[in-house]
Amino acid sequence: MSARFHRRTVLAGLAGLAACDGRAESPSALAFAALKDVAPFPVGVCAESGQLADIGWRALVDRHFDRLTPEFEMKSEVVLRPDGGLVFDAGDRLASYAEQTGKRLHGHALIWYSQGAEGFAPLDGDRARFAAAYRTYIVEVAGRYRGRADGWDVVNEPVAEDGEGFRDCHWRRNLGMAYVEQAFVHAAEADPSAVRFLNEYNLESLPAKRRTFLRLLEDLLRRGAPVTGIGTQTHLSIEDDPATVRTAIAELGAYGLPVHVSELDISTQGRWDAGAERKQARLAAAVAEGIMALPPAQRYGLTLWGARDRDSWLTRPPRPPGDRPMLFDDQGAPKSALEALATVLAG
Ligand code: XIL
């Protein structure tokens, strides 16, 4: 059921659940209704196939989410073997799980500056063969899930870290910056029905990076490149200013394309106290406000980059322990940030 809940319904639901549990608990410990029923757009979570055996993870994900993004098992680091062969076992498992549990699928990521070099190394310098293999890779991967993915992150993180220009990478060295446009052309050929995203991070905290990203987008659109979606990863920290989140989503939304908050986490930088929890909740609310300020047709959705704190890439070695970046705690209980997000979504 995707009925919109009014705020009082959501909170009454929380109180009711507490009462029936016979436990007077703080809101953040209440069993939550269902995020996917509160949101007027798909709410996704990243996943890796090993998590399918985790009963607690599946219970939480099946209850609250209606879209899945493979965290890394549809990336070339897994799909493209050094000998150029393609491996889809893990990606297929995730796609099947999504379909068997009534979830949508978002493909991530066809072309990323940081991966794929080994498999393409034998073609380095041979532009014609490299370009042919580039098309084949994109068409094979996106084509495998044709009609099953709502969208694909076609090119991920093309902008330089500091926003000054664009990343150097093997794709660019062999194809020039045309690698970006060509990726979208091949992705459109492979799966015309999927929304095709240009996906980037730090678009909130680095205005220079957002300007360069939008310059690239405008150039692509001017050239008629089949870019049909904008992904802002939204990896935040509690030191970020909520206003920058709303501003970034509004600026990205000005192009009339679907916008995907594609990888939300809010790092508490190893802290967890009342102040950190409050800041995290304010940022989560700002994300929801930013999306809700978009016209409904542009709300592609929100994807959390992890279900529980312990599922986050930010809490795995080699990173230090102690970060609490997600909206559900290690036991799967909603945190204040989830309640703040849901309250905005519930209107
Ligand atoms: C991360 C995954 O979460 C990790 O498990 C993996 O080891 C590295 O990649 N931007 C992206 C995501 O687009 O694909 C990255 O995900 C996080 C940054």
Side-chain angles (χ1 to χ4, degrees), residues 46 71-72 75 77 108 112 115 156-157 199 201 233 235 263 305 313 316:
C46 72
E71 184 170 358
F72 54 83
K75 291 176 187 170
E77 67 174 330
H108 174 78
W112 193 12
Q115 294 188 5
N156 196 36
E157 303 179 4
N199 195 49
Y201 69 93
Q233 295 180 13
H235 293 292
E263 305 179 16
W305 210 244
W313 67 312
R316 288 185 210 135

Side-chain angles (χ1 to χ4, degrees), residues 21-41:
D21 286 356
R23 293 176 295 164
E25 299 210 15
S26 70
S28 62
L30 289 177
F32 198 79
L35 184 56
K36 65 187 179 185
D37 290 336
V38 173
F41 47 74

Side-chain angles (χ1 to χ4, degrees), residues 24-149:
E25 299 210 15
S26 70
S28 62
L30 289 177
F32 198 79
L35 184 56
K36 65 187 179 185
D37 290 336
V38 173
F41 47 74
V43 183
V45 64
C46 72
E48 55 104 357
S49 56
Q51 289 166 324
L52 302 184
D54 178 337
I55 296 172
W57 180 91
R58 283 182 72 140
L60 185 72
V61 166
D62 288 349
R63 176 177 196 158
H64 289 288
F65 298 97
D66 51 8
R67 185 187 274 151
L68 220 57
T69 297
E71 184 170 358
F72 54 83
E73 289 166 313
M74 285 187 186
K75 291 176 187 170
S76 53
E77 67 174 330
V78 171
V79 169
L80 180 59
R81 284 198 318 223
D83 65 3
L86 301 180
V87 178
F88 294 105
D89 301 10
D92 287 355
R93 276 201 300 279
L94 287 171
S96 300
Y97 164 68
E99 286 159 346
Q100 289 158 7
T101 55
K103 297 181 189 62
R104 311 155 80 108
L105 179 70
H106 180 81
H108 174 78
L110 292 174
I111 297 298
W112 193 12
Y113 76 91
S114 69
Q115 294 188 5
E118 189 181 6
F120 276 76
L123 306 175
D124 268 338
D126 182 337
R127 184 170 184 132
R129 290 180 63 213
F130 192 102
Y134 188 69
R135 174 189 169 281
T136 300
Y137 176 75
I138 293 170
V139 167
E140 289 287 318
V141 177
R144 186 176 185 86
Y145 304 100
R146 183 185 180 106
R148 301 165 68 188

